[in-house]
């Protein structure tokens, strides 16, 4: 698709996020399965449920715009998920593995935060108020997830990973 104006770019960025979220729907259950800490596993499961809602929000936006959500693959998310897979294939101490899973998950959240921040701003500029509202909701969830991951790392997981070496 040729991007001629900001509206076209808005749609392209939304498609990229749609592809990213769809890839995450497949990756998050694997990350949950790999996590050793119950809290971390539960965190991944909860975020999987949120991700289903985020996909539904994007579908509502595409419907409102009258365009298909398909036609673009988010290569960045493919790469981030690939890195997550590499981690899971390694033979690590389980506490270190959890620290590594958090690191991978936070890279994903930061990518999403950048993407949703952008489309949320574009939606406002374009007068797409309903879309802006929905995108803000998802942006808030991604930020909240990132904060929770930081807290989990700083309060327990990292300390256990350090202790694993002693
Ligand atoms: Fe998401
Ligand atoms: Fe992308
Ligand atoms: Fe997320």
């Amino acid at each position: 698709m040729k991007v001629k104006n900001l509206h076209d770019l808005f749609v392209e960025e939304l498609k990229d996020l749609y592809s990213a979220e769809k890839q995450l729907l497949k990756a998050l259950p694997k990350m949950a399965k790999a996590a050793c800490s119950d809290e971390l596993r539960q965190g991944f499961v909860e975020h999987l449920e949120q991700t289903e809602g985020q996909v539904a929000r994007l579908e509502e936006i595409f419907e409102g715009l009258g365009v298909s959500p398909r036609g673009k693959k988010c290569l960045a998310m493919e790469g981030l998920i690939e890195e997550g897979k590499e981690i899971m294939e390694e033979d690590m101490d389980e506490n270190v593995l959890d620290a590594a899973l958090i690191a991978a998950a936070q890279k994903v959240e930061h990518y999403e935060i950048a993407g949703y921040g952008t489309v949320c701003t574009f939606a406002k500029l374009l007068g797409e108020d309903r879309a802006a509202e929905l995108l803000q909701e998802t942006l808030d969830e991604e930020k909240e997830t990132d904060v929770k991951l930081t807290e989990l790392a700083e309060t327990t997981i990292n300390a256990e990973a350090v202790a694993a070496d002693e």
Side-chain angles (χ1 to χ4, degrees):
M1 181 200 177
K2 262 218 183 111
V3 174
K4 292 175 254 89
N5 52 39
L6 190 68
H7 187 272
D8 294 347
L9 182 61
F10 177 54
V11 170
E12 284 302 288
E13 294 288 336
L14 286 172
K15 287 186 179 197
D16 188 75
L17 281 165
Y18 186 73
S19 161
E21 298 287 17
K22 294 288 265 188
Q23 292 182 58
L24 284 167
L25 284 180
K26 288 188 199 147
L28 278 164
K30 291 176 194 160
M31 292 176 78
K33 218 174 147 192
C36 300
S37 138
D38 287 340
E39 233 182 312
L40 181 58
R41 188 174 337 103
Q42 194 49 40
F44 285 139
V45 169
E46 273 166 34
H47 198 52
L48 173 62
E49 284 163 18
Q50 276 183 326
T51 300
E52 284 164 2
Q54 295 171 353
V55 168
R57 282 188 198 116
L58 288 172
E59 285 169 348
E60 186 182 331
I61 293 168
F62 282 110
E63 218 177 283
L65 294 169
V67 292
S68 161
R70 303 193 187 278
K72 193 167 163 81
K73 177 156 201 179
C74 178
L75 297 173
M77 192 55 72
E78 188 177 40
L80 289 172
I81 289 170
E82 195 52 48
E83 288 190 5
K85 262 189 211 147
E86 270 176 30
I87 287 164
M88 291 187 272
E89 281 161 11
E90 281 207 43
D91 185 26
M92 277 187 224
D93 174 277
E94 59 179 42
N95 295 305
V96 178
L97 173 67
D98 279 355
L101 287 171
I102 289 179
Q106 286 196 282
K107 286 174 191 170
V108 166
E109 295 315 313
H110 280 242
Y111 182 79
E112 294 185 287
I113 289 166
Y116 280 106
T118 299
V119 287
C120 196
T121 302
F122 287 174
K124 285 178 201 154
L125 284 168
L126 295 164
E128 297 284 351
D129 297 341
R130 177 65 184 146
E133 228 174 75
L134 291 165
L135 295 167
Q136 184 66 52
E137 282 173 33
T138 295
L139 178 59
D140 291 343
E141 286 175 357
E142 309 294 22
K143 285 183 178 171
E144 202 184 299
T145 301
D146 180 52
V147 169
K148 278 189 194 161
L149 287 166
T150 297
E151 278 170 7
L152 196 54
E154 289 182 349
T155 56
T156 56
I157 307 273
N158 287 352
E160 282 163 12
V162 171
D165 212 25
E166 284 159 5

